[in-house]
Amino acid sequence: LYRAASLGGPRAQLNSALIPGKASGTPLGAAYEFLDAPLGGGGYYYWLEAVGLAGEQLHEPVFVALPHRVLLPVVINSYH
């Protein structure tokens, strides 16, 4: 999971380790939650990177205007 203050700005990785899959090997996906506490106001872009045996896939960014809480969409892919 990455965060940046602008779409083209530098991205900071938020998680220090991979987040284990909850529904590995099934096409159903799962819900995940990550609490972020950025210092500034305004808004931030977030990118989700899916990692699997076939490689990595960086998903399109989501913009979050602060203060706000957002749930990222469920990602279903063929990585097992």
Side-chain angles (χ1 to χ4, degrees), residues 58-71:
L58 192 63
H59 293 275
E60 294 295 317
V62 174
F63 180 77
V64 179
L66 300 178
H68 190 74
R69 181 176 176 178
V70 66
L71 298 176

Side-chain angles (χ1 to χ4, degrees), residues 4-5 8 11 14 18 23 26 29 34 50 54 56 58-59 62 65-66 71-72:
R11 298 177 193 156
L14 301 177
L18 290 176
T26 69
F34 188 91
E56 297 85 27
L58 192 63
H59 293 275
V62 174
L66 300 178
L71 298 176
L72 296 174

Side-chain angles (χ1 to χ4, degrees), residues 6-73:
S6 66
L7 192 55
R11 298 177 193 156
Q13 185 172 354
L14 301 177
N15 54 312
S16 60
L18 290 176
I19 300 169
K22 292 182 181 179
S24 184
T26 69
L28 301 177
Y32 299 88
E33 186 175 359
F34 188 91
L35 181 61
D36 185 25
L39 298 176
Y44 291 91
Y45 290 89
Y46 291 87
W47 288 262
L48 177 65
E49 182 178 41
V51 179
L53 296 176
E56 297 85 27
Q57 180 182 6
L58 192 63
H59 293 275
E60 294 295 317
V62 174
F63 180 77
V64 179
L66 300 178
H68 190 74
R69 181 176 176 178
V70 66
L71 298 176
L72 296 174

